[in-house]
Structure formats: C-alpha cells, structure tokens
Amino acid sequence: MGIIDNINKLFDHRIRLGIMSILVVNESADFNRLKELLNVTDGNLASHIKALEQAEYILVEKSFVGRKPNTSYSTTTLGKAAFKKHIEALEKLIGKKE
C-alpha cells in the first residue's frame, strides 16, 4: 500500500478540509458561522457543503430561530471516520522518512 492511498480526494480542497475540521471539533455549526470562520462567499461554501452532504459526511438540519431560517451542519459517523483516516494518512506522509 502506498503512502498516499488513504488520502481522501474529497478533502483536497481547503474549504472542505476547513468545514470538516470545524465540524469534527464542534457538535455542529450553522452556515453563517462556517462562512465567518472560513471567510468564503455563500455560493462557495454552499457548493462545498453540497459535496460533503452528497458523500454523506455531513448532516444538514434546517430549523427556525425566531422567524429566521437557520441551517446547521454536523458530521456523520462515516464523515468522522473518513476525516480521521485522511488526517492519519497526512500525518503518516509528513512523518515518512526515506
């Protein structure tokens, strides 16, 4: 097995990596919080969230706070496991001595 075999292509993009990093260490985060922390546009964030949602790595929960709609996100068990495997692969790659 090669040293890059467990690197997940879905996490290649820095925004998706950022989304997962935030969600893994927090129970959940809403759209505006992710947008603020990652300093990205609505459309850019939405497209990356969609990719993670389609892979079933994150859950989307829509609700209302008062009269305003609120969308929050959390990681799935599958998403946490895939992200952990990806981070471990990166650590192995960085620590690899020839």
Side-chain angles (χ1 to χ4, degrees), residues 5 8 10 21 26 41 60 62 64 66-67 88 94:
D5 288 347
N8 188 324
L10 196 59
S21 296
N26 295 282
T41 64
V60 179
K62 296 182 183 273
F64 282 88
R67 294 186 149 183
E88 287 171 351
I94 291 166

Side-chain angles (χ1 to χ4, degrees), residues 6-42:
N6 287 325
I7 293 178
N8 188 324
K9 183 116 175 92
L10 196 59
F11 303 132
D12 275 356
H13 198 283
R14 67 183 182 87
I15 294 173
R16 282 184 233 140
L17 186 66
I19 292 167
M20 289 301 293
S21 296
I22 292 164
L23 295 179
V24 164
V25 299
N26 295 282
E27 189 173 318
S28 66
D30 68 18
F31 188 88
N32 288 330
R33 184 70 177 141
L34 289 172
K35 184 177 140 183
E36 175 187 320
L37 289 170
L38 298 169
N39 194 29
V40 294
T41 64
D42 288 6

Side-chain angles (χ1 to χ4, degrees), residues 2-4 8-9 15 24 26 34-35 39-40 45-46 50 58 61-63 67-69 76 79 85 90 92 96:
I3 61 171
I4 61 169
N8 188 324
K9 183 116 175 92
I15 294 173
V24 164
N26 295 282
L34 289 172
K35 184 177 140 183
N39 194 29
V40 294
L45 180 58
K50 189 70 168 168
I58 62 172
E61 184 179 323
K62 296 182 183 273
S63 63
R67 294 186 149 183
K68 291 186 177 187
T76 63
K85 190 174 182 180
L90 289 175
K92 183 177 178 182
K96 183 80 173 162

Side-chain angles (χ1 to χ4, degrees), residues 79-92:
K80 283 180 186 173
F83 191 69
K84 181 179 183 216
K85 190 174 182 180
H86 177 75
I87 295 300
E88 287 171 351
L90 289 175
E91 288 172 343
K92 183 177 178 182

